[in-house]
Structures are given as C-alpha cells and as structure tokens.
Amino acid sequence: MDTFNVNAYTPMETTEICSRVGTKKANMRVDKIFISSVIAGCYLAFSSSVCLVINTSPWYQENAPGLIRMIAAIVFPLSLVMIVLTGTDLCTGSFMYTTLAAVHRRISVWKMLMHWALTFFGNLAGSLFIVGIIIGYGGVLDDKLYREEAIRFADKKAYTPMWHQIFLRAIGANWLVCVACWLAFQARDVASKIAGIWWPVFAFVALGLDHVVANMYFIPMAIFLGSPTITVSYYIWKSMIPALLGNILGGGLFVAVVHWYLDLSGVAEPIRIDGQLFKTDEKAHHSESSSVGV
C-alpha cells in the first residue's frame, strides 16, 4: 500500500535550515546587508501602497469593513513573497533567523544585534524612498480620496490605539510573519513556498496587527500628505518603538526560541539537510572522527 508523501522538510530540518540562514545573513558584508534591507523595505512599501489604494473604498469602509480588509489582506503577502524568494533582508525576519542562529551558538549576540540594526535602518531608508520619491512626488496618492484614506489609516495605526495595544498587536504580527518565513523554508518548491508565506501574512493583515516595517510606509506617508495629528516624534514614540519591541518578541521568542527548544535543543547528532552537514558541524564531526581513529 502506497504511503502519503509530503515533499517538505521535517520541523527539525526546517529549524536547522532557518538557523543556517540566520548564520549566513549575519556573516554577510555590512554594505550587502544594508543594500539588501533597503530593497526589502521598498518591496514592502509597494504592497503597502497597494493596500492603501484598495482601502480607499468609502462605501465598503462604512458598510462592509471586513470585506475590504480581507481583499487588502489577500494582496499584501506579495511583498514577503518577493523578499523571501529574492533573499533580501527584512529586520522582522532577522529577529527570527539571527536569534535562532544565536541561541544555536553559531553567531554571537553582537552579530545578531548588528544585523538587526543594519536591517532596521535599511528597511526605513527603502520605505522612505518609496514614500517620498515614487509615491509622494510621483503623485500616486494625490487624489483627494486617496489622501484622506492614507491619513485615516495612519490614525488607526498610530493615533487611536494605546501604546500597549500597538505593542501587543506587534507581537502577533511578527509571530505570524516569522511563521510564514519558517513555512517557506519547510517547502521544497516555489509554489509551496508561496502558499506557505501567503496565509499567515493574510491573517496578520486581516486582523489589523502592527508590523514595524509596514508602518514605516503607512505613517510617514500620512505625514508626507499633511496629517494633522501625527508628527515624526509622535510616530517614533507612539508607533515605531512599541511595534519594534513587539515584533522582536513575536519573532525572536515565539518563533525562534520556541522552535529551537522544540526542534534543536538536546539533539546530540548534527542535523543533515539533503545529506549535507553545516560547515561548522562538518568540521567538528571530522575532528571527532579523527580523534576516535587515533
């Protein structure tokens, strides 16, 4: 009798792959990390722009807000698909990848923190480029309805909720985003990677949770368009800081540390991926074999 075969890596193998990814990313050259994160910030800003355009539907916002949010949520994951498949760097993904590599003792805490900082500021630079140049001076949202929606949307993200609410929503947002990244590396083919990415990201957008890099587009866009309630300093204190801290906790603790504990802690033998050991494990394995032979 034939058995059902799922062409995917096991949870243990997937966590090992994510640890290897975190190690590789943390050891990239500084200039490459920064440019990679600028591009990732641009990709996320593009899909955020699309969401604003979709949300500019006054009748639906009044009568069927869940429906219009669902449509935006279906579209938004295109950004994370572009980011994961091109290998560019989102700081929120780094909170999972490099934390996992650090608790796995493959990189230092300093390298982890440096990668977080470089990707954060690179993502911010990419987002602001899209805000100011492509969308802003490009006049994409010059129509009155688009401008009003951009300002209203930013108010709902930064002005209306309380600080602790943004923090808690941010935990959930990056928990789901990092699960999406984890599922992408569990898949072996591109179509499965896209499916794995799509639905957790759909969930975080449909729930209206807070992603620090997405907000690097939404809120500066509203400021650019003349928001009467949000200033730069207000944005940093009320939105950026709680969203950043929540995203670190969501990706670093609830995905990286949890999966390290479940899948990698207490495992005596190095884990092979498609028959290959990680380079440091391979060296240790050869050294151990040599000492046994002696």
Side-chain angles (χ1 to χ4, degrees), residues 54 73 267:
I54 292 170
V267 177

Side-chain angles (χ1 to χ4, degrees), residues 214-232:
N215 287 353
M216 287 174 185
Y217 170 82
F218 290 125
I219 300 172
M221 191 76 253
I223 295 171
F224 182 92
L225 294 173
S227 171
T229 54
I230 302 173
T231 63
V232 173

Side-chain angles (χ1 to χ4, degrees), residues 89-227:
D89 286 288
L90 206 59
C91 68
T92 47
S94 176
F95 300 154
M96 184 266 283
Y97 297 130
T98 58
T99 299
L100 188 49
V103 296
H104 207 184
R105 299 187 177 182
R106 285 176 168 166
I107 62 170
S108 66
V109 172
W110 167 249
K111 271 200 170 180
M112 176 189 79
L113 294 175
M114 185 176 73
H115 196 269
W116 289 7
L118 286 168
T119 52
F120 177 84
F121 287 108
N123 292 161
L124 180 60
S127 297
L128 293 179
F129 173 75
I130 300 300
V131 167
I133 306 302
I134 306 298
I135 305 299
Y137 286 111
V140 175
L141 301 180
D142 278 357
D143 184 88
K144 181 175 179 288
L145 287 177
Y146 290 143
R147 295 170 71 93
E148 288 175 352
E149 174 57 29
I151 292 169
R152 189 192 67 82
F153 192 90
D155 278 354
K156 287 174 63 177
K157 283 288 182 185
Y159 188 75
T160 306
M162 298 176 70
W163 199 97
H164 74 278
Q165 291 177 315
I166 296 172
F167 170 74
L168 293 172
R169 293 175 190 179
I171 293 174
N174 208 35
W175 190 343
L176 288 166
V177 167
C178 288
V179 167
C181 295
W182 192 92
L183 291 173
F185 283 104
Q186 186 171 36
R188 291 177 180 267
D189 61 275
V190 172
S192 299
K193 287 179 184 293
I194 293 171
I197 292 167
W198 212 273
W199 297 112
V201 177
F202 166 86
F204 116 69
V205 178
L207 290 169
L209 303 178
D210 280 279
H211 188 273
V212 68
V213 185
N215 287 353
M216 287 174 185
Y217 170 82
F218 290 125
I219 300 172
M221 191 76 253
I223 295 171
F224 182 92
L225 294 173
S227 171

